[in-house]
Every structure is written in C-alpha cells, then in structure tokens.
Amino acid sequence: MHDQTMMFRAKQDDIVAASDILHTVYGALKEKGYNPINQVVGYLLSGDPAYITSHRNARSLIRRLERDDLLEELVRFYLEGHPSQSELK
C-alpha cells in the first residue's frame, strides 16, 4: 500500500503534441460524420483504435501517444479552462 502521493510531470512537448493530435482526430471524426466525443471516449476507455477513423491519418496519430497523455491533456484543458462554481461567486 502506498502512503505517499506520487508526482507526475509531463513534458511540455508532449502537451502540445497531445492537443494537436486531439484537434486533428476530432476534425477527422467530425468530417466522417461520427460523434467525435463518443468515439474518443470509446478509444480512451477501451484502447481499441477501431473507434478512431483512419481518415486524415487520425488513427495513426492518436496511437503515437499513450492514452494517459491524452487523458492528462483533457483534464488540464477542462480544469484550467473552466472556472469552478466557487470561483464564479
């Protein structure tokens, strides 16, 4: 059992790459008529690249990064880009 909190630090280059890849994959999925949010969530939960279209090389791009790097980028964007309800008061 671990009693101490472990520190995780992502490299800045990985953050930029994850953001760019997510935007490209989102656009490719949308162009093909898929619901991009549902498809990316399916990929993140399952690890199955079949959730991502090969259009615009999206499937190959998303597989360049570990799923935890993609999740980190999503959490960072959400928490840093959206003030909490207590901050709005």
Side-chain angles (χ1 to χ4, degrees), residues 5-11 14 68-69 72-73 76:
T5 301
M6 294 177 51
M7 294 289 292
F8 180 83
R9 290 193 171 91
K11 293 183 278 180
D14 291 343
D68 60 336
D69 293 333
E72 181 182 347
E73 176 60 22
R76 176 189 287 83

Side-chain angles (χ1 to χ4, degrees), residues 1 15 17 37 41 47 50 56 61 68 80 82 84 86-87 89:
M1 185 179 275
I15 295 166
I37 303 301
V41 168
R56 289 179 40 192
L61 285 172
D68 60 336
E80 291 178 357
H82 296 85
S84 69
S86 62
E87 291 174 329
K89 294 177 182 176

Side-chain angles (χ1 to χ4, degrees), residues 1-85:
M1 185 179 275
H2 297 284
D3 291 337
Q4 296 183 359
T5 301
M6 294 177 51
M7 294 289 292
F8 180 83
R9 290 193 171 91
K11 293 183 278 180
Q12 190 63 30
D13 292 345
D14 291 343
I15 295 166
V16 172
S19 175
D20 291 344
I21 287 172
L22 282 169
H23 279 96
T24 300
V25 168
Y26 180 92
L29 287 164
K30 196 161 181 97
E31 285 175 13
K32 293 304 279 184
Y34 295 105
N35 179 322
I37 303 301
N38 289 348
Q39 296 305 113
V40 170
V41 168
Y43 171 70
L44 291 171
L45 291 175
S46 71
D48 186 350
Y51 281 98
I52 307 300
T53 182
S54 58
H55 178 65
R56 289 179 40 192
N57 206 30
R59 188 175 297 157
S60 294
L61 285 172
I62 205 162
R63 293 179 78 189
R64 288 184 185 175
L65 297 171
E66 297 293 328
R67 287 183 295 155
D68 60 336
D69 293 333
L70 294 169
L71 284 168
E72 181 182 347
E73 176 60 22
L74 293 168
V75 170
R76 176 189 287 83
F77 175 81
Y78 183 80
L79 292 177
E80 291 178 357
H82 296 85
S84 69
Q85 291 299 315

